[in-house]
Amino acid sequence: MNHELIHVRVEAEKVGVITLNRPKQLNALNDQLMNELGAALKAFDADATIGCMVITGSEKAFAAGADIAAMAGYSFADVYRDDYITRNWEQIRSIRKPVIAAVSGFALGGGCELAMMCDFIIAADNARFGQPEIKLGIIPGAGGTQRLPRAISKAKAMDLALTGRMMDAAEAERAGLVSRVVALDKLMEETLAAALMICDYSQLATMAAKESINRAFEGTLSDGIMFERRMFHALFATADQKEGMDAFVNKRKAKFKNA
Ligand code: CAA
């Protein structure tokens, strides 16, 4: 498939890497880019050889938000009728394999929201996160008002969304938005190392872990625990569970077959 606004490559024959590529606009997210991103993620998700995906941007910007120039002329009728955001951004929610955001530079507005739609964020030390939509007379529209308070507390979410200020990588790590901060020149190396670890596990187990953890954000604790318990039980029906436990007991490295 041809892509203009993203670059797509496979690392080590098992990690699908998508690089956002609108450098002049600091990777501002327009419809074409989001359509291409959704299609690329879906293609990797359907490819049995791919165990994990990475979304990244440039050193200067992961993404500086939804494309303000494109949005400037939209009316309520345009965005409501055409289901702006939902129509293509939400595709990422249907991806079942793990997706890591490797963030350097600005991750603002929709860029921060895109990073939060990924399963976890590894940040370079120059990363800056924020929800500056308030400065434009709008509010976050790609899940920021919901995911941010779940990730970093109501207080910090309110602070960011109401003042529009940016948070640096150290503050983002302290607040729990990012799982780790690494030196800028080590961002891809560290992210790929994490992705490769994930690829070596059973895809059935990594998908089940992702699905179960996501339940923690969407329902009650008792429903989430029940979902987790049933997924845990179900994995005992897989050959990979037998392989993983036999390998441990016999002190050898497990070879998972995703079955
Ligand atoms: N949309 C469209 N174009 C953008 C953009 C965006 N979100 N962010 C940056 N650009 C463009 C700029 O217009 C500029 O283009 P020109 O060279 O043609 O003038 C180019 O990218 C470089 O930007 P700057 O000159 O502004 O670069 P800077 O280093 O001085 O500042 C910045 C960087 C602080 C990120 C600044 O560009 C900025 O504030 N960008 C907007 C951030 C923002 O408000 N994001 C939220 C968007 S709304 C949203 O995302 C809604 C939602 O929830 C879905």
Side-chain angles (χ1 to χ4, degrees):
M1 182 176 293
N2 286 331
H3 299 293
E4 259 185 76
L5 302 183
I6 59 173
H7 285 153
V8 175
R9 69 180 197 275
V10 174
E11 286 280 345
E13 297 177 4
K14 45 192 166 188
V15 182
V17 180
I18 300 168
T19 306
L20 310 180
N21 183 40
R22 280 190 89 199
K24 286 193 184 128
Q25 293 83 10
L26 302 182
N27 292 331
L29 304 164
N30 65 5
D31 263 335
Q32 184 186 341
L33 192 155
M34 294 313 291
N35 288 338
E36 291 181 7
L37 177 62
L41 288 168
K42 282 192 167 173
F44 280 142
D45 211 31
D47 181 339
T49 66
I50 299 295
C52 186
M53 287 154 251
V54 173
I55 302 177
T56 194
S58 68
E59 283 190 9
K60 178 156 188 202
F62 177 73
D67 189 326
I68 301 168
M71 279 186 295
Y74 289 167
S75 67
F76 167 76
D78 293 331
V79 293
Y80 184 66
R81 183 191 52 236
D82 299 341
D83 220 0
Y84 179 51
I85 300 294
T86 310
R87 67 180 174 229
N88 42 20
W89 292 56
E90 292 285 335
Q91 294 186 88
I92 190 169
R93 290 181 69 199
S94 66
I95 303 303
R96 299 180 67 205
K97 291 175 189 165
V99 183
I100 307 174
V103 174
S104 45
F106 298 112
L108 301 177
C112 184
E113 292 169 299
L114 173 61
M116 288 192 289
M117 286 179 185
C118 298
D119 298 312
F120 63 98
I121 302 172
I122 299 181
D125 48 17
N126 76 336
R128 301 183 78 188
F129 299 87
Q131 298 290 162
E133 289 89 343
I134 203 80
K135 296 181 185 173
L136 302 168
I138 56 167
I139 64 169
T145 67
Q146 304 306 301
R147 291 196 182 91
L148 206 55
R150 283 168 168 80
I152 67 171
S153 84
K154 176 185 166 190
K156 268 202 190 287
M158 286 285 189
D159 180 356
L160 291 183
L162 292 175
T163 68
R165 79 171 174 91
M166 291 185 218
M167 178 163 77
D168 65 17
E171 184 181 357
E173 189 183 27
R174 278 198 309 278
L177 180 63
V178 310
S179 67
R180 24 182 148 156
V181 178
V182 300
L184 175 58
D185 63 354
K186 293 274 183 286
L187 178 64
M188 278 319 284
E189 190 181 318
E190 296 261 355
T191 306
L192 287 174
L196 286 168
M197 280 183 89
I198 291 169
C199 288
D200 278 348
Y201 300 127
S202 167
Q203 281 182 17
L204 301 173
T206 59
M207 285 162 60
K210 168 172 175 161
E211 203 172 7
S212 296
I213 290 174
N214 280 334
R215 282 282 161 139
F217 291 94
E218 283 166 14
T220 63
L221 178 62
S222 57
D223 286 349
I225 296 274
M226 181 56 82
F227 183 84
E228 177 211 80
R229 197 64 33 80
R230 294 301 176 233
M231 291 301 285
F232 174 72
H233 291 162
L235 288 168
F236 283 80
T238 66
D240 284 344
Q241 173 265 333
K242 300 287 173 296
E243 167 64 11
M245 294 195 183
D246 183 74
F248 178 84
V249 169
N250 291 299
K251 303 190 188 306
R252 62 178 176 83
K253 186 171 164 39
K255 286 185 77 175
F256 295 112
K257 296 199 170 74
N258 305 325

